[in-house]
Each structure stands twice: as structure tokens, then as C-alpha cells.
Amino acid sequence: MTETVEQDRIERPQPAGEEASAPPAPHSLEYVGFGLRGAAQLLDFVINYLLTIALAVALGIAVGFISSLTGRSVEPFIEQMNRMSVARWALYSIAGMVYHILGEAIHGSTPGKMILRVTVRSSDGGYCGFGQALIRSLAFWIDSLVFGLPALISMRGSPSRQRLGDKWAGTVVVRIRSLEGSQRRTGACFLEATLAASAAHCLFVLLGTLV
């Protein structure tokens, strides 16, 4: 009799208001910490640098070709490229931002994040939107101060490892392996995001070079 009562207590559903009644999540997310996110950021920086170098080489070849056709010296153009202005700095900064914004909003992962198999998601479990990607990219200027100290402090105090930009944007960074198949975006979507992000990055770098 006692065993029957105990079994009934275990199997009987508990009232809806009790915490114990909530079933465990079938697929718990793995939140990403400071080190892995920093590594992804470094990879994206290298990729952006390589894109900029490739653009500079292509631009140099184009300028040299035009100079050979017109007979005009390339020195004025080289002098202009070597000058730094506020407008140029701003356009170069925007180039880095749009790379992250488009990558995270279209797919959730930039190439650096995809290499390490992490992605950005909305805190409610959905995909990261353009507005959220914009907010977290703008907030990165604060999170990255003093070698990322604000981000590190914020992550240590957050169960879901959110930096300040994540908290303000309502996003989290998780391992892709912790997402169910239906929650993951496709490889074609990643290719689209990467092409759009790379093209936008190169466009703003080009504009900054010509300013």
C-alpha cells in the first residue's frame, strides 16, 4: 500500500504554479564564454584584414592600369590613400560593423563564429534580427574597452554568458551543436550571409579609401 501511495505521488502531475512541475528542457543550450568568443572575434578580424588587403591589391592594379592608359602619375592617389581623416576612420569602422551585422542577422554566424561552431540567437530562442545585431555591434565599442573588461565582467555575472551588448539587444551566443536540427539555418543561408557581409565590408573600405 505504501509503495502504491509513493508511486502515485511521483506520477501524479503537480499544480501548475509549482516550479517542480516544469519539465526539464529537452535540448539545453550551451552558452559561449569570453575565451571562445574572443577567438571568434580574432578570426573575423583576420578575415576582414585579408579582405582589405585583397581589395587594396585589386585597387592598386586598377589604378596602375588606368595610369598606363592615361599617362597620369599615381603619386597623388597614393598620397591620398596614406592620409587618414575622421571620415575615413568612420567608414572603416562601419565596414567592420556591417560585416558582423549582416552575418549575424542573415545567418547568426560570421565566418569566425562558424569556424568555431558558435552562433548568435535571440534570448527568446528565435533567430537574431537586424535590430538586435545592430545594437550588439554598436555596444561592442563599450564591451571591448580595456581589452574587453566590461564584457568579461558582464559575462561572469550572467548565467547565459551575456556581454553588455547581448543584454541590451536581447541576444545570446550558443554552440551550434546545442541547437536542434530544425533550429539551425542552412549552409546556403550562411553562404548568402558571408557574401553579403564581405561585399558590404569591401564597399565601405573602398569608400573610405576614396574619401
Side-chain angles (χ1 to χ4, degrees):
M1 180 68 177
T2 304
E3 292 180 359
T4 304
V5 172
E6 291 298 328
Q7 183 177 4
D8 183 61
R9 286 178 181 175
I10 294 173
E11 295 179 352
R12 183 181 301 163
Q14 301 214 9
E18 295 185 15
E19 292 183 4
S21 64
H27 215 79
S28 57
L29 296 176
E30 294 182 48
Y31 299 109
V32 180
F34 184 83
L36 193 59
R37 293 171 69 165
Q41 191 73 31
L42 181 59
L43 286 172
D44 281 321
F45 175 82
V46 172
I47 293 169
N48 283 343
Y49 181 77
L50 293 176
L51 284 173
T52 303
I53 293 297
L55 180 62
V57 171
L59 188 59
I61 293 173
V63 170
F65 179 72
I66 294 173
S67 175
S68 65
L69 291 178
T70 61
R72 299 180 59 179
S73 173
V74 299
E75 290 185 4
F77 179 76
I78 294 175
E79 291 177 0
Q80 180 184 353
M81 288 184 62
N82 290 333
R83 288 196 300 266
M84 180 58 71
S85 64
V86 174
R88 177 170 294 177
W89 178 85
L91 288 168
Y92 285 169
S93 299
I94 292 173
M97 285 181 56
V98 296
Y99 171 89
H100 287 275
I101 292 170
L102 292 177
E104 293 169 3
I106 297 175
H107 178 271
S109 300
T110 57
K113 288 183 175 67
M114 182 57 77
I115 291 171
L116 298 179
R117 304 298 293 167
V118 301
T119 189
V120 181
R121 303 283 294 192
S122 178
S123 297
D124 60 9
Y127 297 123
C128 175
F130 278 95
Q132 292 173 302
L134 174 61
I135 292 172
R136 70 191 310 275
S137 289
L138 288 172
F140 180 75
W141 293 98
I142 298 175
D143 278 315
S144 60
L145 293 174
V146 198
F147 302 102
L149 184 60
L152 178 60
I153 294 174
S154 177
M155 286 180 181
R156 285 189 171 180
S158 170
S160 52
R161 303 292 187 266
Q162 290 175 299
R163 63 176 174 89
L164 295 176
D166 288 317
K167 292 177 179 178
W168 298 338
T171 56
V172 291
V173 180
V174 301
R175 290 184 181 271
I176 293 177
R177 70 187 181 194
S178 68
L179 297 173
E180 295 180 354
S182 60
Q183 296 176 320
R184 303 179 187 182
R185 280 180 163 159
T186 63
C189 181
F190 173 71
L191 179 60
E192 177 188 352
T194 301
L195 291 176
S198 300
H201 172 84
C202 290
L203 174 61
F204 279 98
V205 169
L206 180 60
L207 291 174
T209 303
L210 299 177
V211 168

PDB file of all heavy atoms in Angstrom, residues 62-83:
ATOM      1  N   ALA A  62      44.119  48.251 -60.622  1.00  0.00           N
ATOM      2  CA  ALA A  62      43.229  49.072 -61.435  1.00  0.00           C
ATOM      3  C   ALA A  62      43.804  50.473 -61.650  1.00  0.00           C
ATOM      4  O   ALA A  62      43.784  51.010 -62.765  1.00  0.00           O
ATOM      5  CB  ALA A  62      41.856  49.167 -60.770  1.00  0.00           C
ATOM      6  N   VAL A  63      44.355  51.058 -60.585  1.00  0.00           N
ATOM      7  CA  VAL A  63      44.939  52.404 -60.694  1.00  0.00           C
ATOM      8  C   VAL A  63      46.157  52.383 -61.612  1.00  0.00           C
ATOM      9  O   VAL A  63      46.348  53.280 -62.454  1.00  0.00           O
ATOM     10  CB  VAL A  63      45.316  52.935 -59.301  1.00  0.00           C
ATOM     11  CG1 VAL A  63      46.155  54.215 -59.415  1.00  0.00           C
ATOM     12  CG2 VAL A  63      44.058  53.205 -58.485  1.00  0.00           C
ATOM     13  N   GLY A  64      46.989  51.352 -61.466  1.00  0.00           N
ATOM     14  CA  GLY A  64      48.163  51.235 -62.330  1.00  0.00           C
ATOM     15  C   GLY A  64      47.780  51.084 -63.785  1.00  0.00           C
ATOM     16  O   GLY A  64      48.413  51.658 -64.682  1.00  0.00           O
ATOM     17  N   PHE A  65      46.727  50.308 -64.039  1.00  0.00           N
ATOM     18  CA  PHE A  65      46.271  50.103 -65.414  1.00  0.00           C
ATOM     19  C   PHE A  65      45.745  51.405 -66.009  1.00  0.00           C
ATOM     20  O   PHE A  65      46.062  51.756 -67.154  1.00  0.00           O
ATOM     21  CB  PHE A  65      45.183  49.028 -65.430  1.00  0.00           C
ATOM     22  CG  PHE A  65      44.634  48.751 -66.795  1.00  0.00           C
ATOM     23  CD1 PHE A  65      45.381  48.069 -67.750  1.00  0.00           C
ATOM     24  CD2 PHE A  65      43.351  49.165 -67.131  1.00  0.00           C
ATOM     25  CE1 PHE A  65      44.878  47.818 -69.006  1.00  0.00           C
ATOM     26  CE2 PHE A  65      42.841  48.919 -68.397  1.00  0.00           C
ATOM     27  CZ  PHE A  65      43.603  48.238 -69.339  1.00  0.00           C
ATOM     28  N   ILE A  66      44.941  52.125 -65.217  1.00  0.00           N
ATOM     29  CA  ILE A  66      44.410  53.404 -65.699  1.00  0.00           C
ATOM     30  C   ILE A  66      45.534  54.407 -65.931  1.00  0.00           C
ATOM     31  O   ILE A  66      45.528  55.168 -66.905  1.00  0.00           O
ATOM     32  CB  ILE A  66      43.380  53.966 -64.685  1.00  0.00           C
ATOM     33  CG1 ILE A  66      42.151  53.051 -64.626  1.00  0.00           C
ATOM     34  CG2 ILE A  66      42.968  55.387 -65.051  1.00  0.00           C
ATOM     35  CD1 ILE A  66      41.169  53.413 -63.543  1.00  0.00           C
ATOM     36  N   SER A  67      46.527  54.381 -65.037  1.00  0.00           N
ATOM     37  CA  SER A  67      47.663  55.298 -65.190  1.00  0.00           C
ATOM     38  C   SER A  67      48.436  55.004 -66.470  1.00  0.00           C
ATOM     39  O   SER A  67      48.886  55.922 -67.170  1.00  0.00           O
ATOM     40  CB  SER A  67      48.586  55.172 -63.973  1.00  0.00           C
ATOM     41  OG  SER A  67      49.745  55.954 -64.139  1.00  0.00           O
ATOM     42  N   SER A  68      48.591  53.709 -66.786  1.00  0.00           N
ATOM     43  CA  SER A  68      49.325  53.352 -68.011  1.00  0.00           C
ATOM     44  C   SER A  68      48.559  53.769 -69.262  1.00  0.00           C
ATOM     45  O   SER A  68      49.162  54.083 -70.297  1.00  0.00           O
ATOM     46  CB  SER A  68      49.597  51.853 -68.035  1.00  0.00           C
ATOM     47  OG  SER A  68      48.380  51.126 -68.116  1.00  0.00           O
ATOM     48  N   LEU A  69      47.242  53.802 -69.178  1.00  0.00           N
ATOM     49  CA  LEU A  69      46.436  54.199 -70.329  1.00  0.00           C
ATOM     50  C   LEU A  69      46.398  55.709 -70.516  1.00  0.00           C
ATOM     51  O   LEU A  69      46.414  56.214 -71.649  1.00  0.00           O
ATOM     52  CB  LEU A  69      44.999  53.671 -70.181  1.00  0.00           C
ATOM     53  CG  LEU A  69      44.798  52.154 -70.297  1.00  0.00           C
ATOM     54  CD1 LEU A  69      43.332  51.801 -70.090  1.00  0.00           C
ATOM     55  CD2 LEU A  69      45.273  51.654 -71.659  1.00  0.00           C
ATOM     56  N   THR A  70      46.354  56.414 -69.392  1.00  0.00           N
ATOM     57  CA  THR A  70      46.211  57.869 -69.460  1.00  0.00           C
ATOM     58  C   THR A  70      47.538  58.610 -69.369  1.00  0.00           C
ATOM     59  O   THR A  70      47.619  59.797 -69.712  1.00  0.00           O
ATOM     60  CB  THR A  70      45.297  58.359 -68.330  1.00  0.00           C
ATOM     61  OG1 THR A  70      45.887  58.021 -67.060  1.00  0.00           O
ATOM     62  CG2 THR A  70      43.917  57.710 -68.429  1.00  0.00           C
ATOM     63  N   GLY A  71      48.576  57.924 -68.881  1.00  0.00           N
ATOM     64  CA  GLY A  71      49.869  58.581 -68.717  1.00  0.00           C
ATOM     65  C   GLY A  71      49.948  59.473 -67.503  1.00  0.00           C
ATOM     66  O   GLY A  71      50.930  60.199 -67.324  1.00  0.00           O
ATOM     67  N   ARG A  72      48.955  59.409 -66.637  1.00  0.00           N
ATOM     68  CA  ARG A  72      48.949  60.247 -65.426  1.00  0.00           C
ATOM     69  C   ARG A  72      49.674  59.526 -64.285  1.00  0.00           C
ATOM     70  O   ARG A  72      49.645  58.301 -64.180  1.00  0.00           O
ATOM     71  CB  ARG A  72      47.510  60.571 -65.018  1.00  0.00           C
ATOM     72  CG  ARG A  72      46.741  61.350 -66.080  1.00  0.00           C
ATOM     73  CD  ARG A  72      45.331  61.641 -65.637  1.00  0.00           C
ATOM     74  NE  ARG A  72      45.287  62.416 -64.410  1.00  0.00           N
ATOM     75  CZ  ARG A  72      44.156  62.815 -63.816  1.00  0.00           C
ATOM     76  NH1 ARG A  72      42.977  62.469 -64.333  1.00  0.00           N
ATOM     77  NH2 ARG A  72      44.191  63.531 -62.718  1.00  0.00           N
ATOM     78  N   SER A  73      50.322  60.321 -63.437  1.00  0.00           N
ATOM     79  CA  SER A  73      51.070  59.759 -62.312  1.00  0.00           C
ATOM     80  C   SER A  73      50.113  59.223 -61.251  1.00  0.00           C
ATOM     81  O   SER A  73      49.020  59.769 -61.031  1.00  0.00           O
ATOM     82  CB  SER A  73      51.975  60.834 -61.698  1.00  0.00           C
ATOM     83  OG  SER A  73      52.585  60.344 -60.514  1.00  0.00           O
ATOM     84  N   VAL A  74      50.528  58.162 -60.568  1.00  0.00           N
ATOM     85  CA  VAL A  74      49.716  57.583 -59.497  1.00  0.00           C
ATOM     86  C   VAL A  74      50.079  58.161 -58.132  1.00  0.00           C
ATOM     87  O   VAL A  74      49.435  57.831 -57.133  1.00  0.00           O
ATOM     88  CB  VAL A  74      49.897  56.051 -59.452  1.00  0.00           C
ATOM     89  CG1 VAL A  74      49.441  55.417 -60.749  1.00  0.00           C
ATOM     90  CG2 VAL A  74      51.346  55.668 -59.146  1.00  0.00           C
ATOM     91  N   GLU A  75      51.084  59.041 -58.090  1.00  0.00           N
ATOM     92  CA  GLU A  75      51.540  59.568 -56.798  1.00  0.00           C
ATOM     93  C   GLU A  75      50.451  60.338 -56.053  1.00  0.00           C
ATOM     94  O   GLU A  75      50.315  60.178 -54.833  1.00  0.00           O
ATOM     95  CB  GLU A  75      52.777  60.439 -57.002  1.00  0.00           C
ATOM     96  CG  GLU A  75      54.020  59.634 -57.390  1.00  0.00           C
ATOM     97  CD  GLU A  75      55.255  60.507 -57.470  1.00  0.00           C
ATOM     98  OE1 GLU A  75      55.152  61.710 -57.141  1.00  0.00           O
ATOM     99  OE2 GLU A  75      56.312  59.987 -57.842  1.00  0.00           O
ATOM    100  N   PRO A  76      49.652  61.189 -56.723  1.00  0.00           N
ATOM    101  CA  PRO A  76      48.586  61.873 -55.976  1.00  0.00           C
ATOM    102  C   PRO A  76      47.603  60.904 -55.320  1.00  0.00           C
ATOM    103  O   PRO A  76      47.154  61.142 -54.199  1.00  0.00           O
ATOM    104  CB  PRO A  76      47.896  62.707 -57.061  1.00  0.00           C
ATOM    105  CG  PRO A  76      48.947  62.924 -58.091  1.00  0.00           C
ATOM    106  CD  PRO A  76      49.735  61.653 -58.107  1.00  0.00           C
ATOM    107  N   PHE A  77      47.295  59.823 -56.005  1.00  0.00           N
ATOM    108  CA  PHE A  77      46.374  58.840 -55.441  1.00  0.00           C
ATOM    109  C   PHE A  77      47.001  58.136 -54.237  1.00  0.00           C
ATOM    110  O   PHE A  77      46.330  57.900 -53.227  1.00  0.00           O
ATOM    111  CB  PHE A  77      46.001  57.813 -56.514  1.00  0.00           C
ATOM    112  CG  PHE A  77      45.081  56.740 -56.023  1.00  0.00           C
ATOM    113  CD1 PHE A  77      43.733  56.998 -55.833  1.00  0.00           C
ATOM    114  CD2 PHE A  77      45.565  55.465 -55.738  1.00  0.00           C
ATOM    115  CE1 PHE A  77      42.882  56.005 -55.371  1.00  0.00           C
ATOM    116  CE2 PHE A  77      44.714  54.465 -55.279  1.00  0.00           C
ATOM    117  CZ  PHE A  77      43.370  54.739 -55.103  1.00  0.00           C
ATOM    118  N   ILE A  78      48.289  57.801 -54.351  1.00  0.00           N
ATOM    119  CA  ILE A  78      48.978  57.138 -53.237  1.00  0.00           C
ATOM    120  C   ILE A  78      49.041  58.061 -52.019  1.00  0.00           C
ATOM    121  O   ILE A  78      48.840  57.624 -50.877  1.00  0.00           O
ATOM    122  CB  ILE A  78      50.395  56.714 -53.670  1.00  0.00           C
ATOM    123  CG1 ILE A  78      50.299  55.630 -54.757  1.00  0.00           C
ATOM    124  CG2 ILE A  78      51.190  56.200 -52.473  1.00  0.00           C
ATOM    125  CD1 ILE A  78      51.646  55.232 -55.329  1.00  0.00           C
ATOM    126  N   GLU A  79      49.310  59.341 -52.256  1.00  0.00           N
ATOM    127  CA  GLU A  79      49.346  60.306 -51.151  1.00  0.00           C
ATOM    128  C   GLU A  79      47.982  60.404 -50.478  1.00  0.00           C
ATOM    129  O   GLU A  79      47.877  60.497 -49.251  1.00  0.00           O
ATOM    130  CB  GLU A  79      49.786  61.677 -51.670  1.00  0.00           C
ATOM    131  CG  GLU A  79      51.246  61.733 -52.099  1.00  0.00           C
ATOM    132  CD  GLU A  79      51.624  63.087 -52.668  1.00  0.00           C
ATOM    133  OE1 GLU A  79      50.725  63.974 -52.711  1.00  0.00           O
ATOM    134  OE2 GLU A  79      52.784  63.271 -53.059  1.00  0.00           O
ATOM    135  N   GLN A  80      46.931  60.380 -51.277  1.00  0.00           N
ATOM    136  CA  GLN A  80      45.583  60.454 -50.714  1.00  0.00           C
ATOM    137  C   GLN A  80      45.276  59.216 -49.870  1.00  0.00           C
ATOM    138  O   GLN A  80      44.665  59.312 -48.802  1.00  0.00           O
ATOM    139  CB  GLN A  80      44.551  60.573 -51.832  1.00  0.00           C
ATOM    140  CG  GLN A  80      43.107  60.644 -51.318  1.00  0.00           C
ATOM    141  CD  GLN A  80      42.107  60.673 -52.452  1.00  0.00           C
ATOM    142  OE1 GLN A  80      42.472  60.769 -53.618  1.00  0.00           O
ATOM    143  NE2 GLN A  80      40.831  60.598 -52.115  1.00  0.00           N
ATOM    144  N   MET A  81      45.696  58.059 -50.336  1.00  0.00           N
ATOM    145  CA  MET A  81      45.450  56.826 -49.586  1.00  0.00           C
ATOM    146  C   MET A  81      46.193  56.812 -48.254  1.00  0.00           C
ATOM    147  O   MET A  81      45.739  56.198 -47.290  1.00  0.00           O
ATOM    148  CB  MET A  81      45.872  55.613 -50.421  1.00  0.00           C
ATOM    149  CG  MET A  81      44.967  55.307 -51.597  1.00  0.00           C
ATOM    150  SD  MET A  81      45.463  53.790 -52.471  1.00  0.00           S
ATOM    151  CE  MET A  81      45.251  52.556 -51.197  1.00  0.00           C
ATOM    152  N   ASN A  82      47.320  57.483 -48.195  1.00  0.00           N
ATOM    153  CA  ASN A  82      48.128  57.487 -46.969  1.00  0.00           C
ATOM    154  C   ASN A  82      47.633  58.486 -45.937  1.00  0.00           C
ATOM    155  O   ASN A  82      48.107  58.478 -44.803  1.00  0.00           O
ATOM    156  CB  ASN A  82      49.596  57.782 -47.303  1.00  0.00           C
ATOM    157  CG  ASN A  82      50.251  56.631 -48.044  1.00  0.00           C
ATOM    158  OD1 ASN A  82      49.856  55.476 -47.894  1.00  0.00           O
ATOM    159  ND2 ASN A  82      51.263  56.940 -48.858  1.00  0.00           N
ATOM    160  N   ARG A  83      46.712  59.345 -46.330  1.00  0.00           N
ATOM    161  CA  ARG A  83      46.178  60.329 -45.385  1.00  0.00           C
ATOM    162  C   ARG A  83      44.986  59.733 -44.641  1.00  0.00           C
ATOM    163  O   ARG A  83      44.110  59.119 -45.244  1.00  0.00           O
ATOM    164  CB  ARG A  83      45.747  61.607 -46.111  1.00  0.00           C
ATOM    165  CG  ARG A  83      46.895  62.459 -46.615  1.00  0.00           C
ATOM    166  CD  ARG A  83      46.411  63.866 -46.958  1.00  0.00           C
ATOM    167  NE  ARG A  83      45.384  63.845 -48.001  1.00  0.00           N
ATOM    168  CZ  ARG A  83      45.654  64.001 -49.296  1.00  0.00           C
ATOM    169  NH1 ARG A  83      46.894  64.182 -49.708  1.00  0.00           N
ATOM    170  NH2 ARG A  83      44.669  63.977 -50.180  1.00  0.00           N
TER     171      ARG A  83
END
